[in-house]
Structures are given as structure tokens and as C-alpha cells.
Amino acid sequence: MKEHYYVALDIGSSSVKVVVGEKFHNGVNVIGTGQTFTDGVSKGMINDFDQAKHAITDTIKKAKIASGVDIDEVFVKIPIADTHIQFGEEAIRFGGEATEINGEHIEELLENVRMHDFAGQNEVVSVYPVSFIVDGLHEVNDPKEMIAEESLAVKAGVVTANRTLLINIVKCVEAAGLTILDVYSDAVNYQHVLTDAEAELGAVVIDMGLDLTQFAYYERGSLKYANSVGIAGREITLDLVEEFNTSYDEADQAKEQYGHAFFDLASDDEKVSLVQNDSAEPAEVTSKDLADVIELVIEDTLMSIFEDLAANGINNVQGGFVLTGGTANIRGIKELMQDLVAEKVRVHVPNQMGARKPEFTSAISVLSSGIMFDELLEYVTIDNYDDYPEAESHSAADDEQEAQTGNFFTGLFAKRKEENELQVNRDEAQDDDSYEDEYNYPDEESIEESPSENDADDEYEDYTDDDADNRLEDSDREPKEKGDLGTKVKKIFKNLFE
């Protein structure tokens, strides 16, 4: 059995998180996690390169030990800060010839949408389909295996993000010795937090972290709008520091253990002693005292979100609100939200074993995005080999051209493209027996299955030998006209280099 693992890297303001998982029925089976707290990141931006790099390295080690999987390739998420969402359409024509639609057709459409001039000073991060239209008649979510004679069209959303943020994240991850398979915006990832009914009716996901509170609105099953505000958990702690004359660590611990977001439900009986900054005598504070401060900050945050949604024409959220993220751990946050809105409210906590905390929502959603796009485009992201043959040296002309036009992204693209081509050549040179020998299998005893809503007797959906051979055959095809790298192995940031 060939295992196919996905690894998500979440570089957050409070901590770096890694989740290792695999597809399990219609969800994700988490087999290992890692988390390292760091001060190297603030509001989605890396502000201390070395600290962030060491946190990534330490977290990867923890995830390796927990999962028993050797990790060298990851999916990375980027925050919604400085994100813009636009929409475009593309179509391919079949000229009356009956054609069975496959992943290559879908990939071509999405790549053509990516070529549109959306980015400006930003960079295209994600292109996601809103709907496909077959022969101008059938609007579907996934057209694979359908027959089209005239055309296949797509309505797609395009997420662009700040170029500097992207550069620093990529450089930091690669400095930690990892290869980035793909990058997904939280704006796209949050769709996996919603039920089908919520996403269809119109729902808002609110992710309250340490420095940023991100939110995204989905309607009719797809992303419509996303933004962020710079008020979150750190602001709560700082206000507690000021109000109760204590240290940051004392205030943060009190917030997590005794804090309450809804003053009306907070208790006068729960008490905590806070060390004072200018006195040897600690101050005794109740949960209700803490709630008086916490409620004000969270309410201001939520009101800022409501005002932003209203300013962008989003006034009807029939699917309700979903709260998640580390700050959603504070007691009473659901009740406070319900006091402010008429729609239903729930707090999302992942149900995967080992990651049952709201702060792991974003990382697990990255895994879901990786699986979703793999299935949609019909290609595999896992690297089956430990290393690549050494590449031939560049010619002097190549070096001169790279010196004239190259930048960090150009170099990254050249390296990834070269490795990809070497991979294909190596695949072609090996027969089926040697191909089998090259696989590295993890220790099955180290894999711990998480509970699933489906019956325990159901089997995993695994990739077969035939699937792997088909992937190799796909990689032999000629590159597409517009920017395809010539393989089905997902690579990072095509748009940055074309």
C-alpha cells in the first residue's frame, strides 16, 4: 500500500504549527502534529527571520516524531492580511468533437484565469473555481468525466496577496530546509470549516488569533469576500495589563484560565491573584473583573467586522457565524456573539485526535485544500524519492541571463523546474520493479487513526499502482502553451515566474 501524506505548515503570530494528515473518507485523518511558540511573527508577517526559521525547524521535528513520517515537503498557508479577491472567466473550445473532461482541462482553465492581469503590485496566490459550465448548458462543481462537445468554461475567484509577505514566508520556509509544494490563502481554506448548508446560505468564518482577526464570507458554496482587522488576543492581554497593573505573562495566563468574554455570565466566585508591577502585594481579581475588560475588546473586534461586511454589501448572513482560532478558546465568546447578532453562532473545534483545539483549524483546513485540489486536478503532490541526481552546470550564457533578469523568485522557479524535469527523466528510466523499490514506507505502527464519523470498517481511499503509473504517463505530455511546467507535480507560485 502506498501512503500519501499531506503536511500543512501554519506560521502564526503566537506559534508555528505543523499538521501531518491523509485523506480519510470525506475528511482528513491527522496522524501527527507539532507546535512551537515564537515571537518571530507578528500580524502574519515575519519580523525576526532567525526566530521564525528555528521555530519552523523545531516544529517539523516534533511533527516527525509524532507522525513517524519524514517531512521535507509542505503546504503553506498565508494570512488574509492585504488580500484581495477578484473574479474572472475562461473557456476552452472543443469544436464539436465529443471530449471527456479530465483534470488537465480544469488545470488549463485555472491557469488561463491566473494569466489575467489581476495582481498589480500583489501576487496571485490562489485561483479557485466557483463553477464550471459544460457546453453552455450545465453548471456543475466538478465536470470531470462529463462529455462536452462545444466548450468547458469556468467562473473562478482569484486571491492576490502582498508580495513582500510572500517573499519572506517562502524564503524562511526554504531556509528551514523544506520544499513548498503549494501555498493556500486562509480565505480559500476556511470553506472547509463550514457545512454545505452554511456555505450555500451565506456564512461568515471569524478566526481570532493573537495579532489578527480574519474573516471570510461564503455564499452559494464559494468564497465571496475576505478581510482582517488588527485587533485580537494580544490586544485583550495588553488591556488586562493596563487595567490590573500586572505583567504580560500574568495577564495572559489569567485570560486563558479565568477569562470570560460575556460579562453577564462571568462569576464573582472565581478569583485569581495577579502580581503587581509596583507592589509586593498581589491583587485579587475575579472572573467578572476580567470579563469587564475582555468583553469590551472582543465586542469592538466583532463590531469592526460587522461594519466592514456591511460596507461591502454583506447584510444577510443566513448561514450564521462560525468562530475559531486561539482566542475562541475564551469562555463566553459564543454567548457574546449571540447577544450581538440574530443569526446562529457556533465555535468550530477540529474533531481530529491530537488537534482538537480551535488554533489548529487553519492548518487542518490547509490539508483539506490540498486534498481538494489534488482530486479536482487529478495529480499527486507527494515526492517518491529521497533525492535528485545532481544537475548539470549552467552555461555561461545562462548565468549571464540569470544575472540580468533574476531575482529570488526567478531562482526559486529555475531550481524547482529543473528538479521537476530531472524527476520525470528518472521516472522514465526505471521499470516497474525498480519503481516499487524506490518507495519509502512509514512505520505503520507509528500511525494513529483518529475517530471518523463514518463506519470504522470503511477502508481508506488509497492510491493504487495503476494510479501512480497514470501519473507518470501524464508527466510525459507536452507542456501547455501558457506556463504549464510539463508535469502533474504541484509546484509553488507559477504566476510569479511566468
Side-chain angles (χ1 to χ4, degrees):
M1 183 177 77
K2 295 182 178 66
E3 303 290 355
H4 184 192
Y5 298 110
Y6 295 80
V7 182
L9 174 61
D10 177 0
I11 306 172
S13 297
S14 64
S15 66
V16 173
K17 292 172 280 290
V18 170
V19 176
V20 183
E22 59 191 345
K23 180 180 177 182
F24 185 68
H25 301 297
N26 292 321
V28 175
N29 177 43
V30 172
I31 60 175
T33 65
Q35 183 176 14
T36 302
F37 292 91
T38 180
D39 294 324
V41 183
S42 177
K43 295 189 177 180
M45 297 285 290
I46 293 173
N47 58 18
D48 189 312
F49 193 89
D50 287 337
Q51 279 196 39
K53 182 183 74 173
H54 290 315
I56 293 170
T57 303
D58 290 345
T59 310
I60 290 292
K61 289 179 181 177
K62 294 173 183 176
K64 283 182 180 180
I65 294 171
S67 65
V69 175
D70 191 26
I71 301 170
D72 54 15
E73 296 177 328
V74 296
F75 292 96
V76 176
K77 75 101 179 186
I78 65 165
I80 293 176
D82 255 340
T83 285
H84 300 279
I85 301 170
Q86 302 171 71
F87 296 90
E89 298 182 10
E90 267 291 341
I92 51 178
R93 308 290 176 183
F94 301 118
E97 180 180 349
T99 304
E100 182 176 319
I101 299 167
N102 58 34
E104 281 199 347
H105 298 119
I106 297 172
E107 184 180 26
E108 180 179 347
L109 279 174
L110 297 181
E111 284 302 307
N112 289 343
V113 172
R114 186 186 291 270
M115 296 298 172
H116 294 185
D117 187 19
F118 286 113
Q121 296 300 313
N122 289 351
E123 295 295 344
V124 175
V125 176
S126 301
V127 179
Y128 62 94
V130 175
S131 64
F132 296 92
I133 302 174
V134 180
D135 279 349
L137 301 173
H138 311 291
E139 185 170 316
V140 297
N141 293 325
D142 187 348
K144 287 195 304 296
E145 298 185 5
M146 297 184 71
I147 301 298
E149 294 185 346
E150 299 300 329
S151 66
L152 174 65
V154 67
K155 297 178 181 177
V158 179
V159 180
T160 64
N162 181 281
R163 180 179 175 84
T164 301
L165 181 149
L166 235 52
I167 291 173
N168 289 326
I169 288 178
V170 172
K171 289 193 70 175
C172 193
V173 173
E174 295 215 331
L178 299 170
T179 297
I180 300 176
L181 290 174
D182 212 337
V183 173
Y184 297 115
S185 167
D186 272 332
V188 174
N189 299 333
Y190 289 146
Q191 66 183 295
H192 306 294
V193 173
L194 300 173
T195 65
D196 291 342
E198 288 169 340
E200 184 66 26
L201 291 172
V204 176
V205 178
I206 301 176
D207 183 349
M208 304 186 73
L210 181 65
D211 286 330
L212 283 175
T213 296
Q214 307 185 132
F215 54 99
Y217 174 71
Y218 300 82
E219 188 180 31
R220 295 192 63 190
S222 66
L223 173 67
K224 302 300 182 184
Y225 178 73
N227 205 346
S228 64
V229 295
I231 313 173
R234 192 189 301 276
E235 191 73 21
I236 296 173
T237 304
L238 291 174
D239 279 13
L240 291 174
V241 167
E242 183 177 353
E243 179 70 21
F244 299 110
N245 189 33
T246 189
S247 69
Y248 184 92
D249 290 342
E250 285 274 311
D252 203 49
Q253 186 174 5
K255 176 187 73 176
E256 293 177 359
Q257 295 183 358
Y258 299 95
H260 206 290
F262 196 34
F263 181 83
D264 292 349
L265 296 181
S267 172
D268 279 323
D269 297 329
E270 290 184 345
K271 297 178 181 180
V272 57
S273 294
L274 296 179
V275 176
Q276 299 294 282
N277 289 330
D278 56 5
S279 174
E281 292 295 324
E284 191 173 79
V285 176
T286 68
S287 177
K288 208 168 192 69
D289 293 331
L290 296 173
D292 198 25
V293 176
I294 295 172
E295 182 185 85
L296 184 61
V297 178
I298 294 180
E299 187 173 306
D300 285 348
T301 305
L302 296 175
M303 293 305 296
S304 296
I305 293 172
F306 300 154
E307 290 172 4
D308 186 87
L309 291 172
N312 287 275
I314 302 169
N315 297 298
N316 190 7
V317 186
Q318 293 184 357
F321 292 85
V322 178
L323 298 167
T324 193
T327 301
N329 281 310
I330 297 177
R331 295 176 299 169
I333 195 167
K334 175 182 176 181
E335 289 77 11
L336 174 60
M337 185 72 163
Q338 286 177 326
D339 191 56
L340 297 175
V341 300
E343 293 82 2
K344 69 173 185 177
V345 178
R346 68 178 177 90
V347 175
H348 177 79
V349 179
N351 61 8
Q352 288 87 350
M353 185 177 294
R356 292 173 178 169
K357 301 176 183 178
E359 53 264 41
F360 277 98
T361 293
S362 181
I364 294 174
S365 296
V366 174
L367 298 183
S368 297
S369 288
I371 292 170
M372 178 184 72
F373 279 99
D374 266 10
E375 292 179 335
L376 183 66
L377 302 179
E378 294 184 303
Y379 54 42
V380 178
T381 60
I382 198 166
D383 182 0
N384 299 320
Y385 299 97
D386 292 333
D387 48 34
Y388 296 97
E390 288 192 14
E392 296 179 3
S393 60
H394 293 298
S395 67
D398 292 336
D399 291 339
E400 181 178 355
Q401 181 179 3
E402 185 173 356
Q404 291 174 351
T405 62
N407 53 29
F408 165 72
F409 290 110
T410 311
L412 174 64
F413 172 65
K415 175 185 174 184
R416 301 292 288 134
K417 184 176 181 181
E418 184 177 17
E419 289 177 345
N420 195 29
E421 291 172 348
L422 289 168
Q423 174 72 62
V424 175
N425 292 336
R426 184 169 182 172
D427 290 346
E428 292 174 346
Q430 297 189 4
D431 58 23
D432 291 340
D433 292 335
S434 63
Y435 177 77
E436 284 290 336
D437 292 338
E438 288 292 335
Y439 274 86
N440 294 318
Y441 298 97
D443 183 2
E444 292 184 358
E445 293 180 357
S446 67
I447 300 175
E448 182 180 4
E449 294 184 5
S450 67
S452 168
E453 295 178 359
N454 295 304
D455 189 85
D457 293 332
D458 290 343
E459 296 180 352
Y460 286 94
E461 297 178 24
D462 295 309
Y463 287 84
T464 65
D465 292 343
D466 291 337
D467 292 330
D469 293 338
N470 291 337
R471 300 299 184 264
L472 295 177
E473 292 173 5
D474 285 344
S475 66
D476 294 337
R477 301 185 183 181
E478 290 295 323
K480 296 189 182 74
E481 211 172 35
K482 293 187 178 181
D484 191 351
L485 301 185
T487 78
K488 308 309 285 181
V489 180
K490 191 178 299 180
K491 300 302 176 184
I492 176 66
F493 295 159
K494 293 180 183 178
N495 59 296
L496 297 179
F497 323 110
E498 292 165 346

